[in-house]
Amino acid sequence: MADFDNKPGATQGTMDLTDHKKTFAGFMRATVWVIGLSLAVLVFLALTNS
């Protein structure tokens, strides 16, 4: 069996979050673009009666 008792102790607040924050910011930017483009397509379709 694996020995799980030899894990190093974790200290709260010591993890580097810069990559996490960059990834989340990119995800949010992509989400906003997709929503904007979807709305633009829907408005275009509504105006052209497609």
Side-chain angles (χ1 to χ4, degrees):
M1 285 278 184
D3 185 15
F4 294 110
D5 293 334
N6 291 333
K7 293 188 285 187
T11 55
Q12 188 172 3
T14 60
M15 191 167 92
D16 185 22
L17 296 177
T18 55
D19 288 337
H20 173 76
K21 290 181 179 182
K22 286 181 195 175
T23 302
F24 184 71
F27 172 77
M28 291 304 294
R29 185 176 12 254
T31 301
V32 168
W33 272 98
V34 167
I35 290 171
L37 289 174
S38 298
L39 288 174
V41 167
L42 287 174
V43 168
F44 174 75
L45 288 174
L47 291 175
T48 59
N49 287 329
S50 292

